[in-house]
Amino acid sequence: MSFLQEKLKAPLLPLSVVARPRLNDHFGLNEHVRLLMVQAPSGYGKTTLLAERLPALEQEAAWLRLDQRDNQPARFLAYWQAALNSLLDEKAPLSPVAEEADCVEQLERWLGELPEQRLSCRLVVDEFEHLTHPDILAGLAHWLRHQPPWLTLTLASRSRPALGLASLRLRGELEEIDLSALAFDSEEAQTLCAEQLSFPPTRVSLERALRRSGGWVMALSWLVERTTTRAGFDALVDRLSGAHPDFVAWFDELLSSALPLEERELMLQLGVLERFSPELMARLLEGERLTQRLEAFEQAGLFIERPDPHAQWYRFQRLFGEYLRHRRHELSLATQRTLHRRASQAWLALNDPVMALRQAILAEAPEGVASLLTAEGPALLARGAYALLAKGFALLGEPRLTTSPELALLYGWVSHAQFQFEITARVIGWIEAQLHAPEWQLLSAEFATLRAQLAINQGDAERAAPLAEQALAVPARYLASTPLTATAILSEARFVQGYLNESLQRVREVEHQSRQREDHQLLLWSFCHQSELLVAQGRLQAAYDIQERAFAHLERAELEHLPVAEFLYRIRSQVLWEWHRLDEAEQAALKGIAVLDNQGERWTLQCHIQLAKVAQSRGDQAQCADHIRRLRKILAEGDYHIDWVANAHATLLAWWHSTHDMDAVERWRQEAPAPITEGATNHFSQCNVRNHARALTLLGRFDEACTLLEALEGHTQRLGLVTDANRNQLCLAAAAWNAGREEHAHQHMHQALSLASRTALVGSFLRLGKPLGELLNRLLDSGTLDVLEQARAERLLALAGRQKDFGSARRLMLDETVIADIVARPDVPELIRTSPLTRREWQILGLIHAGLSNEQIAEQLSVAPTTIKTHIRSLYQKQNIRRRDEAITLAGQLLAHIQGE
């Protein structure tokens, strides 16, 4: 036979490869581990992982790269011998393959010829899925039982080989890297983009790409290779689906080569399920040996995951599941509906109303959906399945909903939860028109609670409180959570009215009762509301501690999927931003967005506010601009509570301040909610008035700004709104400073520092920008600060000194004379002389250093983004640069030459 030496060499790595040190723990070389099994479907980077990690860990390895022709005992043994010989002393190679010997005999003979001791090493067998011959597999199973301790067999395979893995696993002799471990994490995806893209996608887009792809390396690479702009990346992420023609064609080829027609039909039938178990399959499908057939699918490497290795539940990898749902048209419509109906009944029998309703909706069975909604609606509400409930109501239609008090009530709560307040008001109109009917009167407590909730969201706490009290006076007949919800609304009403201590007392009652009733959603809400109350009182550390309890409950009760979890991540991000823990604040906001990824972007407004604040605090103009664009889009598409609106407007004003867009500030003043100081009894009313004061300060109308802020102070002192008092003092200091009233500015800053000894605010101070440093220096020089205030002022000064301003980036826009002068300098890198940049490349290098994205550079130079990408690729090649941060460093060095630093 022909013998290919190429098959005995490690594969060449691609030019840009993502190092994966987080998987190092799987690569331990010790005498206990006989086999490292790297098993996943195609495109997960199995071969690249081994080719990258083994040299990085300085582990000696022989390689054997298989193909289909190697599934013959004689051919396999010849290559196995050659691979092993590369690990042995040239003077003591293995004996030749014996004639007529089977694999077990031959491999046993070689085992006897191996040295007893040697430095630890690996034998890597790549594409092991090609080996299916029973003699070869029997021989290798025998080999593994008697393998010398210095050798670790390392297999990369799409399928799970029949080598006795279960017994190896039980004896602790097997190390496994599976699909879930190989999936890229956030840091690896960022590195991939940094290596191959000349613009950084926003973290939101990157996290969405990870969720949609399931971290599948091939899908992420597909994204990267097809985008040239940030907007293009975002658009392609939206189209990233298993139903995309590129993936449909790829999966078609995979299934046609891996499965016979009968098994492919079983796979399509399974595709109606998002997750499944042998028991569920038995309820859904007709046929024999279903469990064995499922295990065969898993072993074949067909994108089936087992989230919990200790349980019998499976799911399809996300894109593959979408592909199967796309291919359902190969089944008849009647078959599809029958499968969905059976699946709904099966899920109901397994006590999972969420999955049961999802399947009933897909079965397009209105009566089944109506009965499910009526029977399971309270449980579905408690689980936060609002988007799914909305689909059920859409299938039924509003005329059907107006005839049932239970369905109308559920519809009202779901529309409210999705910020569709006009629908909630319409539902309440139906209710009020039919309250005379006995079946509607039975739900009077539930209806009063819904009306109270809408009132509180419309900012009418005076109307909400008596409605909540009315609900507490009569028994609930349908929603058992009604008394608790009414108490929660009453707590929120008192919070809005400024009665913080009473609100805190009531919300602790909600916490106690929801814990007793095991109402996990309301318990989590009670923790979040307590946190907001404590922040308002200036007790941020106590708020953080309450959040810690909430996170413990979130994990213990597995509530990460509930929309209320976003509330927790959002308020955690707010506290962390205020403490200038920017990385953690960003991560919390991203997790909040991930919770609501399937609910719709409008829910994520608050988290996008946080991401914009973090980007601005970092001085990252390009990222901040993207978050601001998304934030404004979300604002324009929804009707939000004043709390959310005021918070968003505060961030927009900070952005316009940074970009010197006073026209936008003036337009905002004309359109924003009016600054009503008389009712500023809560943090969001205070924030709205403060926004107007900030806008007036930016527009030079300092006296009007101070008048508004001083009017707020009466409320903050009377009601104990300590955090708002702290922020108001900072705004007063800024207004006085800009008006030239330095003494007043110092007094307000001193008062702000004094309050910060309780609140520990940092982010709000740093938002002041340049005046902060000057004011703090004057106060430190005055000697009037106590020890705590002085320490805080010094820390704030240090942070302010490190804070980047959008306008502070230095841009390297050079003409030919200056370029020639740089190139002539003796201390300029040699590559600059031997591989000279064009004038355009010089300009682009300077704009990269200034922090501009490819799109912004293209806009500034009036060329297409694809042209910029071409110039950057040329620049990188000339200067032997692989990443954008290296280009920024080079530009900084050259800029230092120009300015004589």
Side-chain angles (χ1 to χ4, degrees):
M1 71 173 213
S2 59
F3 195 84
L4 300 177
Q5 291 294 335
E6 187 68 20
K7 293 163 66 71
L8 301 174
K9 296 178 182 176
L12 294 175
L13 287 172
L15 289 175
S16 55
V17 63
V18 177
R20 312 195 68 185
R22 70 174 173 86
L23 297 175
N24 282 357
D25 287 349
H26 295 285
F27 284 88
L29 280 173
N30 62 70
E31 60 185 21
H32 302 295
V33 175
R34 294 178 176 273
L35 174 64
L36 168 60
M37 185 74 227
V38 185
Q39 193 236 324
S42 178
Y44 270 92
K46 302 180 291 295
T47 304
T48 303
L49 170 72
L50 293 171
E52 182 271 326
R53 275 296 86 195
L54 297 183
L57 295 170
E58 298 182 348
Q59 292 185 358
E60 184 185 359
W63 278 74
L64 171 52
R65 294 154 60 194
L66 301 172
D67 59 41
Q68 290 178 335
R69 297 176 303 161
D70 298 321
N71 194 31
Q72 304 166 25
R75 184 179 176 88
F76 166 75
L77 287 171
Y79 275 111
W80 184 269
Q81 178 191 30
L84 274 173
N85 278 338
S86 69
L87 292 173
L88 301 176
D89 191 325
E90 292 181 0
K91 298 176 182 178
L94 297 177
S95 62
V97 179
E99 290 187 18
E100 304 302 325
D102 64 22
C103 283
V104 173
E105 292 172 354
Q106 184 60 64
L107 291 174
E108 185 169 28
R109 181 179 296 116
W110 285 338
L111 281 166
E113 297 172 11
L114 293 177
E116 290 186 14
Q117 292 188 340
R118 188 198 183 283
L119 291 176
S120 297
C121 61
R122 295 184 183 276
L123 173 55
V124 179
V125 184
D126 193 16
E127 297 194 52
F128 192 87
E129 66 273 5
H130 294 303
L131 297 185
T132 58
H133 195 292
D135 288 350
I136 297 176
L137 294 177
L140 289 176
H142 182 72
W143 175 278
L144 276 169
R145 284 195 293 273
H146 304 286
Q147 182 175 266
W150 51 263
L151 182 64
T152 302
L153 186 58
T154 302
L155 307 183
S157 178
R158 297 181 191 178
S159 61
R160 185 173 300 166
L163 295 177
L165 300 187
S167 59
L168 287 171
R169 187 181 296 115
L170 288 173
R171 294 198 301 268
E173 297 172 350
L174 174 66
E175 187 67 50
E176 296 176 274
I177 302 177
D178 61 7
L179 177 155
S180 59
L182 285 167
F184 266 18
D185 64 12
S186 180
E187 185 177 340
E188 288 163 344
Q190 264 190 303
T191 303
L192 176 72
C193 291
E195 293 283 358
Q196 299 191 31
L197 292 177
S198 52
F199 63 90
T202 64
R203 285 294 302 276
V204 174
S205 296
L206 199 56
E207 295 287 341
R208 285 185 67 227
L210 277 171
R211 287 193 296 275
R212 292 198 169 208
S213 65
W216 185 21
V217 181
M218 190 165 80
L220 292 170
S221 298
W222 176 85
L223 268 175
V224 167
E225 289 167 5
R226 282 160 179 76
T227 52
T228 56
T229 66
R230 185 179 287 111
F233 187 90
D234 293 348
L236 199 57
V237 170
D238 289 335
R239 296 196 294 273
L240 177 58
S241 161
H244 189 284
D246 288 357
F247 291 105
V248 169
W250 194 89
F251 285 129
D252 279 347
E253 290 181 11
L254 175 73
L255 284 190
S256 63
S257 64
L259 293 178
L261 187 61
E262 181 185 357
E263 297 303 279
R264 176 174 173 165
E265 184 170 351
L266 175 61
M267 182 72 79
L268 290 176
Q269 291 174 329
L270 269 181
V272 306
L273 301 171
E274 292 184 21
R275 55 191 174 91
F276 46 93
S277 67
E279 180 185 355
L280 190 62
M281 286 176 63
R283 291 176 179 272
L284 176 68
L285 305 172
E286 296 176 354
E288 298 178 352
R289 298 175 46 255
L290 290 175
T291 301
Q292 292 91 327
R293 292 163 76 185
L294 173 60
E295 290 172 352
F297 289 159
E298 186 186 19
Q299 287 185 335
L302 289 177
F303 291 86
I304 295 177
E305 305 172 344
R306 196 186 295 203
D308 182 353
H310 309 294
Q312 285 293 309
W313 281 96
Y314 302 83
R315 69 184 178 202
F316 293 114
Q317 195 271 356
R318 177 163 179 163
L319 290 177
F320 187 61
E322 290 169 350
Y323 160 78
L324 291 176
R325 288 189 284 280
H326 170 73
R327 276 295 184 213
R328 269 182 313 200
H329 61 77
E330 295 184 18
L331 304 171
S332 70
L333 192 58
T335 299
Q336 291 181 50
R337 286 176 174 167
T338 299
L339 285 170
H340 288 307
R341 188 172 63 253
R342 285 183 186 169
S344 178
Q345 294 164 354
W347 280 118
L348 208 53
L350 293 173
N351 197 29
D352 192 330
V354 171
M355 299 302 294
L357 178 59
R358 182 168 286 134
Q359 292 294 331
I361 292 168
L362 290 169
E364 298 178 348
E367 289 311 310
V369 168
S371 62
L372 249 177
L373 286 171
T374 303
E376 302 293 340
L380 291 162
L381 270 184
R383 293 175 67 168
Y386 307 129
L388 181 62
L389 284 162
K391 288 180 181 178
F393 294 131
L395 180 68
L396 296 179
E398 285 195 355
R400 172 75 174 80
L401 302 178
T402 60
T403 63
S404 164
E406 292 85 3
L407 292 178
L409 176 68
L410 293 170
Y411 188 42
W413 277 114
V414 168
S415 61
H416 173 271
Q418 296 189 309
F419 309 121
Q420 297 170 326
F421 301 135
E422 70 287 351
I423 295 179
T424 313
R426 188 160 70 243
V427 172
I428 287 173
W430 306 341
I431 291 166
E432 291 174 344
Q434 301 181 80
L435 265 179
H436 61 278
E439 66 269 25
W440 290 75
Q441 286 180 357
L442 283 173
L443 305 188
S444 58
E446 284 90 336
F447 291 146
T449 306
L450 178 62
R451 292 157 72 196
Q453 184 65 73
L454 182 61
I456 199 75
N457 272 85
Q458 292 173 334
D460 192 350
E462 303 299 331
R463 183 164 171 266
L467 282 168
E469 289 169 339
Q470 176 186 330
L472 288 168
V474 291
R477 307 283 186 180
Y478 180 58
L479 292 180
S481 62
T482 294
L484 264 179
T485 305
T487 306
I489 293 169
L490 199 54
S491 170
E492 202 167 348
R494 295 295 183 243
F495 180 35
V496 171
Q497 293 168 330
Y499 305 123
L500 302 188
N501 289 330
E502 182 186 344
S503 179
L504 196 56
Q505 179 183 347
R506 288 188 181 275
V507 76
R508 284 172 175 161
E509 180 184 338
V510 173
E511 177 193 346
H512 176 70
Q513 290 185 24
S514 56
R515 196 186 297 279
Q516 284 185 328
R517 293 176 55 88
E518 295 187 347
D519 189 324
H520 298 301
Q521 189 164 215
L522 265 174
L523 178 57
L524 198 55
W525 177 88
S526 73
F527 286 134
C528 294
H529 189 55
Q530 286 180 69
S531 175
E532 285 203 309
L533 279 161
L534 292 166
V535 167
Q537 292 180 330
R539 300 160 62 188
L540 270 69
Q541 183 60 56
Y544 183 90
D545 294 341
I546 284 284
Q547 291 170 14
E548 287 292 282
R549 290 171 57 195
F551 278 114
H553 179 66
L554 187 79
E555 184 176 347
R556 186 167 55 249
E558 298 180 345
L559 306 176
E560 291 88 348
H561 63 286
L562 288 183
V564 72
E566 181 273 340
F567 187 6
L568 177 57
Y569 284 119
R570 175 213 319 162
I571 58 176
R572 168 53 65 91
S573 180
Q574 290 168 353
V575 170
L576 291 169
W577 176 83
E578 198 57 87
W579 287 347
H580 203 63
R581 290 161 58 174
L582 300 181
D583 290 348
E584 295 168 83
E586 179 185 54
Q587 199 57 42
L590 288 169
K591 286 181 178 177
I593 290 173
V595 169
L596 301 178
D597 196 36
N598 295 323
Q599 304 283 346
E601 194 174 51
R602 62 185 304 180
W603 290 47
T604 63
L605 175 64
Q606 290 271 53
C607 289
H608 281 290
I609 292 169
Q610 286 304 114
L611 292 173
K613 288 162 66 176
V614 168
Q616 187 168 35
S617 296
R618 289 173 173 160
D620 189 338
Q621 185 173 14
Q623 290 277 346
C624 189
D626 281 319
H627 295 312
I628 291 291
R629 275 196 291 271
R630 198 178 296 257
L631 190 161
R632 296 181 72 174
K633 173 178 174 287
I634 298 170
L635 263 182
E637 294 174 351
D639 177 18
Y640 299 99
H641 187 272
I642 183 62
D643 183 5
W644 290 35
V645 172
N647 200 5
H649 287 174
T651 303
L652 289 172
L653 285 166
W655 166 255
W656 292 325
H657 182 195
S658 299
T659 56
H660 312 291
D661 190 351
M662 296 304 113
D663 290 340
V665 174
E666 183 56 57
R667 285 195 302 273
W668 174 84
R669 278 199 68 251
Q670 307 305 319
E671 301 167 1
I676 303 171
T677 56
E678 294 82 2
T681 56
N682 48 67
H683 66 280
F684 44 86
S685 297
Q686 290 260 329
C687 182
N688 184 52
V689 176
R690 198 159 51 242
N691 287 340
H692 280 271
R694 283 192 179 118
L696 289 166
T697 300
L698 292 173
L699 296 170
R701 295 160 64 175
F702 309 119
D703 290 341
E704 294 173 70
C706 289
T707 299
L708 283 177
L709 292 165
E710 286 162 0
L712 292 180
E713 285 303 275
H715 294 301
T716 60
Q717 292 172 18
R718 178 172 58 87
L719 301 172
L721 298 168
V722 178
T723 297
D724 282 298
N726 205 162
R727 290 170 178 156
N728 293 341
Q729 287 296 326
L730 289 168
C731 287
L732 281 163
W737 178 262
N738 284 290
R741 298 194 287 267
E742 294 187 14
E743 192 56 41
H744 287 93
H746 295 147
Q747 291 171 5
H748 290 304
M749 182 54 70
H750 193 169
Q751 182 63 22
L753 279 174
S754 176
L755 287 166
S757 296
R758 295 168 61 188
T759 64
L761 300 189
V762 175
S764 293
F765 277 84
L766 294 176
R767 248 187 181 173
L768 261 64
K770 184 179 177 181
L772 178 66
E774 299 184 28
L775 285 167
L776 291 176
N777 277 317
R778 288 285 298 272
L779 281 172
L780 285 168
D781 292 342
S782 71
T784 58
L785 302 180
D786 65 25
V787 175
L788 281 177
E789 293 166 355
Q790 182 171 334
R792 184 165 298 280
E794 289 170 348
R795 179 169 181 260
L796 286 168
L797 266 177
L799 291 171
R802 295 199 296 268
Q803 195 170 28
K804 294 179 181 177
D805 180 16
F806 290 167
S808 67
R810 297 172 296 185
R811 297 186 178 182
L812 191 61
M813 297 293 285
L814 308 170
D815 59 28
E816 283 78 358
T817 305
V818 177
I819 294 169
D821 179 59
I822 292 175
V823 173
R825 292 172 182 261
D827 51 351
V828 163
E830 185 64 26
L831 272 175
I832 291 289
R833 296 194 192 86
T834 57
S835 301
L837 304 180
T838 65
R839 183 176 185 278
R840 181 65 90 192
E841 287 164 357
W842 278 103
Q843 292 174 332
I844 291 170
L845 184 62
L847 294 171
I848 288 173
H849 179 264
L852 272 67
S853 68
N854 282 13
E855 295 158 80
Q856 293 166 324
I857 295 173
E859 185 177 347
Q860 177 142 340
L861 299 180
S862 302
V863 297
T866 51
T867 303
I868 296 300
K869 191 170 184 179
T870 301
H871 283 305
I872 288 174
R873 192 177 294 117
S874 171
L875 189 161
Y876 283 13
Q877 288 173 349
K878 287 179 179 180
Q879 299 304 313
N880 195 24
I881 290 172
R882 294 177 61 195
R883 297 174 60 166
R884 202 175 187 90
D885 56 359
E886 295 175 17
I888 293 170
T889 301
L890 174 63
Q893 293 168 352
L894 297 174
L895 188 61
H897 289 303
I898 298 167
Q899 299 185 339
E901 295 175 5

